[in-house]
């Protein structure tokens, strides 16, 4: 089954709440881009996100964190493609050391997990 990954740094523009906390919706935006890549790889089309069955926010995300979002197609229907997603924090700022210090985490921290389904209509599927 297809897999995809993107990595992105959360900026001050992504910070929305006190203490530079990032809105959880940002993780769903990353999953939308991962899903789109999965559909392009599987079907040659961007497809459409039909819905999420489950979304879990497991740890807070802050401006300056590097987030790795991964996804995988786990089952293929007629036009539906079921996917699972995980977002992990892989680098964090260390303002306690100085304003530009950062650490690569020895163990990534899972910040969000989700399951959802996308649809590529039959007439748009270009890979069989
Ligand atoms: C990933 C993208 N590149 C990015 C985005 O899409 S972001 C924008 C958010 N999404 C949208 O704007 C999509 C809006 N929705 C739609 O256009 C339609 O609802 C749809 C195309 C997603 C589905 O069309 P619809 O006519 O309702 O579908 P059906 O013909 O009934 O079903 C088609 C298959 O999809 C399965 N399915 C439908 N809804 C769901 C659901 N909520 N959860 C799980 N599965 C769903 C349905 O069972 C059909 O499956 P099979 O063809 O039998 O495999």
């Amino acid at each position: 089954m297809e897999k995809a990954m993107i990595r992105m740094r959360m900026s001050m523009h992504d910070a929305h709440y006190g203490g530079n906390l990032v809105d959880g919706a940002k993780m769903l935006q990353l999953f939308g881009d991962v899903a789109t890549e999965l559909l392009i790889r599987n079907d040659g089309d961007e497809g459409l996100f039909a819905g999420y069955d489950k979304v879990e926010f497991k740890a807070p995300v802050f401006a300056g964190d590097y987030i790795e979002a991964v996804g995988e197609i786990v089952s293929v229907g007629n036009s539906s493609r079921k996917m699972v997603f995980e977002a992990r924090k892989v680098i964090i700022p260390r303002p306690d050391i100085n304003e530009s210090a950062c650490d690569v985490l020895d163990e990534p921290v899972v910040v969000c997990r989700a399951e959802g389904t996308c649809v590529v209509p039959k007439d748009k599927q270009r890979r069989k």
Side-chain angles (χ1 to χ4, degrees):
M1 290 285 178
E2 297 291 348
K3 294 184 184 184
M5 187 273 277
I6 56 175
R7 185 180 292 166
M8 181 176 281
R9 186 176 207 200
M10 299 297 109
S11 74
M12 287 304 288
H13 294 292
D14 299 311
H16 190 68
Y17 298 108
N20 293 330
L21 182 66
V22 172
D23 192 338
K26 183 70 188 178
M27 299 304 108
L28 301 192
Q29 184 185 18
L30 297 181
F31 292 160
D33 285 345
V34 170
T36 301
E37 180 176 335
L38 288 171
L39 295 173
I40 292 167
R41 290 182 181 280
N42 196 69
D43 293 284
D45 189 90
E46 291 189 7
L48 289 161
F49 219 123
Y52 283 97
D53 301 317
K54 187 165 87 173
V55 178
E56 293 177 304
F57 297 106
K58 310 291 286 184
V61 175
F62 299 100
D65 290 346
Y66 278 73
I67 300 295
E68 199 173 83
V70 297
E72 183 176 358
I73 296 178
V74 291
S75 68
V76 173
N78 194 29
S79 66
S80 62
R81 280 87 177 94
K82 187 169 172 52
M83 302 172 180
V84 296
F85 304 95
E86 188 171 277
R88 305 163 189 144
K89 194 185 293 206
V90 292
I91 294 176
I92 58 168
R94 290 294 308 274
D96 53 311
I97 298 173
N98 67 53
E99 72 281 358
S100 53
C102 290
D103 279 345
V104 178
L105 298 178
D106 291 334
E107 289 293 329
V109 174
V110 175
V111 298
C112 186
R113 288 199 180 103
E115 298 175 7
T117 302
C118 293
V119 172
V120 180
K122 271 284 183 193
D123 63 346
K124 291 194 169 171
Q125 295 173 19
R126 296 193 301 122
R127 290 185 178 78
K128 307 296 172 201

